[in-house]
Amino acid sequence: PKPRPRPKPKPKKMTPEEVDRIVEWARRAADGRRYTRPTGDNVKDLLARVEKDYPDHPSAVRLRKRIIAGLYKRYRRAVRRKRYSTAAARLRAWIALDPEAERPQVKLTLLHVNQGKRALARRKYRLAAAHARSALRVIPDSPRALELTGDIFSRRRRYAQALKHYELAAEAPKVSRRYKRKLLRKIRTTKRKVR
């Protein structure tokens, strides 16, 4: 007869002392601005270990809220000083710590769209396209990012592709009536150029 495999031992649940130690470790990682790297020694991984055994543990939730508040404050300071790459890094860390939060995703998308518009105004098409792609990676159906992509194609005289992106932007969810009218004007103008 074949020997039966031994059942794998179930991982032990962390003790309250271990939870306190890991939360303190996460706090120190946050002080060192290790939000997502290096693997195993960052805030995201450490708090995930606590959440695995104790979902919504009070000290972990408190620490996460404090870190997110600090990230938001540093993001605003970086935007005021026009350090947009630093601001984007703070928002990415916020998204990593709270993936369900919609606010940092919207702010990161708008940050990339605004940078893309600036690059487009200076005729730096590759840079503008890179920002548009980054914005679409964060929110794939963002009307502002789709409009920016359409503007880039329109400037490059690729009107069929521009029209496609304008139409996608007009069909995107959560588009205000005023913004939709603006997009419909662009669609009409671009249709004339396609013919």
Side-chain angles (χ1 to χ4, degrees), residues 141-185:
D141 58 351
S142 166
R144 303 274 180 193
L146 290 166
E147 181 197 8
L148 173 63
T149 308
D151 289 344
I152 294 166
F153 281 126
S154 183
R155 285 276 185 90
R156 304 294 286 171
R157 296 183 182 178
R158 297 180 184 173
Y159 299 117
Q161 291 168 315
L163 179 64
K164 181 180 118 184
H165 283 88
Y166 290 144
E167 288 171 344
L168 285 171
E171 294 167 5
K174 298 181 183 177
V175 176
S176 68
R177 288 181 185 173
R178 185 177 176 188
Y179 185 62
K180 194 165 190 168
R181 280 196 299 269
K182 176 187 171 186
L183 289 170
L184 291 173
R185 280 195 300 273

Side-chain angles (χ1 to χ4, degrees), residues 10 16 44 48 92 98 101-102 104 110 136 151-152 164 184:
K10 290 183 180 178
K44 181 184 172 189
R92 278 191 218 99
D98 191 6
E102 189 177 322
L110 291 176
L136 288 170
D151 289 344
I152 294 166
K164 181 180 118 184
L184 291 173

Side-chain angles (χ1 to χ4, degrees), residues 121-140:
R122 290 178 295 182
R123 296 182 181 169
K124 295 186 176 183
Y125 301 115
R126 285 186 181 171
L127 182 61
H131 283 298
R133 281 193 302 273
S134 296
L136 288 170
R137 256 185 250 124
V138 179
I139 301 178

Side-chain angles (χ1 to χ4, degrees), residues 4-165:
R4 290 183 180 176
R6 291 182 182 174
K8 290 183 180 177
K10 290 183 180 178
K12 292 180 181 176
K13 198 171 184 179
M14 279 191 275
T15 64
E17 292 80 25
E18 288 176 319
V19 170
D20 292 341
R21 188 174 47 82
I22 289 177
V23 168
E24 177 61 24
W25 186 4
R27 187 190 61 74
R28 289 182 184 178
D31 290 344
R33 296 188 182 174
R34 297 187 310 270
Y35 302 111
T36 57
R37 291 183 201 158
T39 306
D41 183 24
N42 63 59
V43 176
K44 181 184 172 189
D45 292 349
L46 293 167
L47 291 180
R49 283 172 58 185
V50 174
E51 288 286 322
K52 183 180 169 188
D53 286 348
Y54 297 97
D56 298 326
H57 191 276
S59 59
V61 169
R62 245 189 336 270
L63 178 64
R64 179 175 275 130
K65 283 182 181 176
R66 198 180 94 216
I67 292 169
I68 287 171
L71 284 169
Y72 180 62
K73 188 177 176 182
R74 284 195 287 280
Y75 150 76
R76 289 186 59 188
R77 187 182 311 133
V79 168
R80 275 196 310 271
R81 293 178 179 172
K82 297 184 180 182
R83 295 180 180 163
Y84 299 114
S85 59
T86 305
R90 298 295 171 255
L91 288 173
R92 278 191 218 99
W94 183 358
I95 291 168
L97 291 175
D98 191 6
E100 281 111 39
E102 189 177 322
R103 189 175 179 198
Q105 294 177 359
V106 170
K107 287 190 177 297
L108 183 58
T109 301
L110 291 176
L111 186 69
H112 281 301
V113 167
N114 290 335
Q115 285 184 283
K117 285 181 180 179
R118 281 191 207 99
L120 187 61
R122 290 178 295 182
R123 296 182 181 169
K124 295 186 176 183
Y125 301 115
R126 285 186 181 171
L127 182 61
H131 283 298
R133 281 193 302 273
S134 296
L136 288 170
R137 256 185 250 124
V138 179
I139 301 178
D141 58 351
S142 166
R144 303 274 180 193
L146 290 166
E147 181 197 8
L148 173 63
T149 308
D151 289 344
I152 294 166
F153 281 126
S154 183
R155 285 276 185 90
R156 304 294 286 171
R157 296 183 182 178
R158 297 180 184 173
Y159 299 117
Q161 291 168 315
L163 179 64
K164 181 180 118 184
H165 283 88

